[in-house]
């Protein structure tokens, strides 16, 4: 009995110890889990749509209204700086945001040039006739024919030459009495390029010639033919022009804005459309000392040896000149995609890291020239600072929705979504009232490009009708244009491209709002200029066309302020003045 009692006591004590240990090990599990859940919940991000800020979701995804990617909406308490927008690393990845550390640039600017192969004007020669008379036979019959020095190019009948031959025969008969007369007649014939052999033959036979040959003075290819069989010639009249094509010129067009960057002696790397895959180079030997008053361009000349006549005049050429900025101080540059340009100001977003996490803050910068895909920064940044390089539009949209300083509102405050579904949106600046049209390259899907094609067709029909002064066709095209952009499904534009497209759509809607009430060609041309600005920006951003497009400019349009338009052809046909000034303008840019 004693043993059983001791056993029971030990068992009871063991049980009590087990209960206590269990309580210590597992009893607080629920409390700890609740604390962890509370901490996680406090870190949950709210995701919203930049175009529809009423949407709030606890995780990333697509906007249920427009289908664009949601962006993180951070709490004001997350950032140490009240003007900065906070964002986690995971949110940055989902929003496609990458950064760039500011550094020095090599200061090299790439300038694209277009031009053509041209005849070397130094080798052009005008073949003239030294004999007055009628062309009895012509040996050079077409442009492009090769002429060799010394060959007969034409036979001429000349009454004056026939009379001079008779004088020669008579002077010879009295040479013993009047030798000076004979020499005088011979000199007269030599001035007409009659050879001594021909003169002696006339004297020996006593017979005059009816036709005299004209010989080629130089060798070359005929580039212009001025006479035909039976034409009457004056002494010194040009028969044809000939050029030596063993050396040709490559003439590049330099826009007025690029003239300060290009100088004689600069190297040009160029390609020729007729020789795909081949690269050529040369040195600028001459730049026009004046610019064309209509096209506002000057021409730069590169002289090229043309072995085997490989280069043909009028071949199209595309070239690039690399020029370096001449500065003593260091040159700071940032990627083109990092800068948001609003017309009067340029901004970037600075990345800051602290104990509270990552934040981005807007800063205004002063832009210098564009070098390839980078902007020179004149003022506003320091070497070593980190800025947003890609996804700048997403950061700005998040800042705008959070009431932070943004591109649309430097002071911060309530966000303007710029998208009201049925109401007229205002994508205007707070100070200069100018529409913001983003033209930086933005990727869109093939489906979005397909949806844009009818819009471009209607625009080009609109432009062509204006060049012909055809009001009815222009108005019809404008109304079709309005229908086309209203039919575009905005859900095919994803991410940043959705925001960009909405800014274009808003402006196009504003410009076509009263299209049905337009009554004359002057009114419809007034609408063409702002619509063209949108189409140019859209083409630069989305690159939706399968062929090159050309930005053309008329300096006299828009009350002499100048106006641009978009064209599928390199040839300038002016839609702002039509037949009255059809060729006024220049090609400012090629969008490939």
């Amino acid at each position: 009995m004693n043993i059983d009692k001791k056993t029971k006591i030990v068992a009871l004590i063991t049980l009590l110890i087990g209960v206590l240990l269990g309580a210590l090990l597992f009893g607080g599990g629920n409390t700890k889990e609740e604390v962890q859940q509370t901490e996680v919940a406090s870190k949950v991000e709210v995701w919203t749509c930049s175009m529809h800020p009423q949407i709030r979701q606890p995780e990333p995804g697509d906007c249920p209204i427009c289908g664009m990617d949601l962006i993180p909406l951070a709490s004001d308490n997350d950032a140490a700086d009240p003007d900065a927008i906070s964002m986690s690393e995971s949110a940055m990845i989902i929003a496609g945001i990458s950064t760039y550390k500011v550094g020095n640039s090599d200061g090299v600017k790439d300038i694209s040039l277009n031009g053509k192969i041209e005849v070397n004007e130094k080798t052009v020669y005008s073949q003239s006739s030294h004999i007055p008379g009628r062309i009895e036979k012509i040996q050079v019959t077409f442009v492009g024919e090769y002429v060799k020095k010394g060959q007969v190019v034409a036979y001429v009948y000349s009454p004056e030459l026939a009379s001079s031959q008779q004088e020669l025969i008579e002077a010879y008969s009295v040479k013993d009495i009047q030798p000076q007369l004979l020499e005088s007649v011979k000199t007269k014939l030599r001035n007409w390029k009659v050879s001594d052999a021909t003169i002696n033959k006339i004297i020996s036979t006593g017979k005059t010639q009816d036709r005299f040959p004209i010989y080629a003075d130089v060798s070359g290819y005929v580039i212009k033919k001025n006479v035909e069989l039976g034409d009457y010639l004056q002494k010194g009249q040009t028969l044809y022009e000939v050029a030596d094509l063993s050396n040709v010129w490559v003439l590049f067009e330099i826009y007025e804005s690029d003239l300060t960057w290009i100088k004689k002696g600069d190297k040009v790397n160029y390609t020729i459309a007729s020789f795909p895959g081949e690269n050529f180079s040369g040195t600028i030997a001459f730049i026009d000392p004046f610019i064309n008053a209509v096209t506002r361009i000057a021409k730069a000349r590169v002289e090229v040896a043309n072995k085997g006549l490989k280069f043909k005049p009028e071949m199209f050429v595309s070239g690039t000149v690399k020029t370096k900025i001449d500065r003593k101080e260091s040159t700071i540059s940032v990627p083109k995609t990092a800068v948001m340009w609003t017309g009067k100001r340029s901004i970037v977003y600075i990345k800051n890291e602290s104990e509270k996490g990552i934040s981005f803050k807007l800063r205004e910068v002063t832009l210098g020239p564009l070098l390839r895909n980078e902007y020179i920064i004149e003022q506003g940044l320091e070497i070593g600072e980190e800025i947003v390089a890609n996804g700048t539009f997403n950061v700005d949209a998040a800042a705008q929705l959070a009431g932070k300083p943004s591109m649309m509102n430097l002071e911060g405050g309530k966000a303007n979504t710029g998208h009201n579904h049925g109401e007229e949106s205002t994508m205007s600046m707070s100070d200069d009232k100018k529409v913001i049209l983003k033209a930086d390259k933005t990727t869109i899907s093939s489906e979005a490009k397909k949806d844009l094609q009818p819009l471009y067709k209607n625009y080009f029909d609109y432009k062509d009708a204006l060049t012909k002064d055809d009001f009815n066709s222009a108005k019809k095209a404008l109304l079709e244009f309005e229908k086309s952009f209203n039919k575009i499904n905005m859900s095919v534009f994803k991410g940043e491209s959705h925001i960009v497209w909405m800014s274009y759509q808003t402006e196009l809607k504003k410009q076509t709002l009263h299209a049905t009430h337009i009554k004359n060609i002057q009114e419809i041309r007034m609408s063409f200029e702002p619509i063209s600005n949108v189409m140019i920006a859209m083409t630069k951003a989305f690159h939706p066309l399968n062929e090159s497009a050309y930005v053309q400019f008329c300096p006299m349009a828009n009350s002499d302020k100048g106006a641009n338009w978009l064209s599928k052809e390199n040839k300038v046909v002016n839609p702002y003045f039509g037949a009255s000034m059809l060729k006024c303008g220049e090609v400012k840019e090629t969008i490939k």
Side-chain angles (χ1 to χ4, degrees), residues 538-556:
M538 187 190 305
T539 307
K540 290 180 179 180
F542 293 159
H543 290 267
L545 301 175
N546 295 322
E547 55 189 356
S548 295
Y550 303 91
V551 179
Q552 298 178 343
F553 176 76
C554 173
M556 300 181 68

Side-chain angles (χ1 to χ4, degrees), residues 23-219:
L24 290 172
L25 292 174
F26 306 104
N30 292 337
T31 305
K32 185 176 182 181
E33 184 178 352
E34 289 173 1
V35 171
Q36 289 175 341
Q37 289 176 348
T38 303
E39 290 176 353
V40 171
S42 66
K43 294 180 181 179
V44 169
E45 292 173 323
V46 177
W47 294 78
T48 185
C49 174
S50 59
M51 306 309 295
H52 303 92
Q54 70 271 25
I55 300 300
R56 296 286 192 274
Q57 291 187 3
E59 58 185 5
D62 295 334
C63 174
I65 297 176
C66 64
M68 71 175 294
D69 294 336
L70 299 180
I71 61 173
L73 180 62
S75 169
D76 289 347
N77 298 325
D78 291 343
D81 189 332
D83 289 336
I85 179 74
S86 295
M87 198 172 291
S88 68
E89 291 187 6
S90 60
M92 288 174 60
I93 294 172
I94 294 171
I97 296 168
S98 61
T99 59
Y100 171 85
K101 189 160 285 189
V102 177
N104 287 327
S105 168
D106 57 6
V108 175
K109 178 179 174 67
D110 288 348
I111 301 174
S112 297
L113 303 174
N114 293 313
K116 291 192 299 184
I117 304 285
E118 299 281 4
V119 171
N120 185 340
E121 294 179 7
K122 296 178 182 178
T123 68
V124 176
Y125 181 82
S126 295
Q127 177 67 56
S128 59
S129 172
H130 301 281
I131 305 171
R134 183 180 70 248
I135 298 177
E136 293 289 308
K137 186 177 182 181
I138 189 165
Q139 302 289 82
V140 177
T141 56
F142 58 89
V143 172
E145 184 175 356
Y146 183 75
V147 175
K148 189 175 181 180
K149 181 179 180 180
Q151 82 171 65
V152 177
V153 296
Y155 287 94
V156 176
Y157 168 73
S158 174
E160 294 182 33
L161 194 55
S163 174
S164 296
Q165 290 177 78
Q166 191 62 45
E167 291 178 11
L168 175 65
I169 295 172
E170 293 175 358
Y172 182 76
S173 64
V174 294
K175 69 179 188 319
D176 295 333
I177 303 172
Q178 295 180 313
Q180 297 87 356
L181 180 61
L182 177 62
E183 287 303 317
S184 175
V185 175
K186 284 183 177 182
T187 300
K188 182 179 180 180
L189 291 171
R190 290 190 188 106
N191 289 338
W192 278 331
K193 290 202 171 183
V194 178
S195 65
D196 287 339
T198 302
I199 292 173
N200 292 333
K201 182 180 179 181
I202 294 171
I203 292 173
S204 62
T205 60
K207 295 181 180 179
T208 60
Q209 294 185 18
D210 292 334
R211 299 186 304 179
F212 274 84
I214 298 176
Y215 298 97
D217 296 330
V218 297
S219 299

Side-chain angles (χ1 to χ4, degrees), residues 9 88 117 148 221 263 344 385 390 407 479 532 549 558:
I9 293 172
S88 68
I117 304 285
K148 189 175 181 180
Y221 290 87
K263 60 183 181 299
K344 283 192 173 182
E385 289 187 301
N390 292 298
M407 178 180 71
L479 294 174
S532 293
N558 194 19

Side-chain angles (χ1 to χ4, degrees), residues 287-438:
I287 299 176
D288 284 346
F290 50 83
I291 62 174
N292 187 294
V294 176
T295 62
R296 311 305 299 172
I297 63 172
K299 291 190 176 183
R301 178 201 308 162
V302 176
E303 298 185 10
V304 181
N306 191 18
K307 186 177 180 180
L309 304 183
K310 181 176 183 176
F311 303 136
K312 307 291 191 292
E314 299 302 320
M315 282 182 172
F316 285 111
V317 179
S318 297
T320 303
V321 174
K322 294 182 182 292
T323 181
K324 190 173 179 65
I325 298 177
D326 185 16
R327 294 191 178 186
K328 295 180 180 179
E329 66 274 14
S330 60
T331 302
I332 296 176
S333 67
V334 298
K336 182 180 178 181
T337 54
V339 180
M340 298 185 73
W341 183 74
T342 64
K344 283 192 173 182
R345 67 175 73 92
S346 303
I347 64 169
V348 297
Y349 276 91
I350 308 295
K351 178 184 177 183
N352 295 300
E353 293 190 49
S354 66
E355 294 178 355
K356 293 188 176 182
I358 300 172
S359 63
F360 300 97
K361 184 177 180 180
L362 176 147
R363 185 184 296 175
E364 285 194 62
V365 294
T366 303
L367 294 184
L370 177 64
L371 309 182
R372 290 174 288 197
N373 293 316
E374 297 182 340
Y375 275 115
I376 292 295
I377 300 298
E378 301 283 1
Q379 189 175 2
L381 287 177
E382 298 292 336
I383 293 175
E385 289 187 301
E386 196 168 355
I387 64 172
V388 176
N390 292 298
T392 314
F393 233 76
N394 290 336
V395 175
D396 187 79
Q400 183 181 346
L401 291 172
K404 309 288 187 179
S406 64
M407 178 180 71
M408 299 284 286
N409 186 0
L410 287 181
E411 302 301 324
K414 185 178 179 181
N416 175 18
T417 66
H419 184 38
N420 299 315
H421 282 291
E423 299 178 11
E424 184 177 347
S425 302
T426 56
M427 293 293 291
S428 58
M429 304 281 296
S430 58
D431 56 351
D432 54 17
K433 304 297 183 183
K434 289 189 178 179
V435 174
I436 301 166
L437 297 176
K438 177 176 169 61

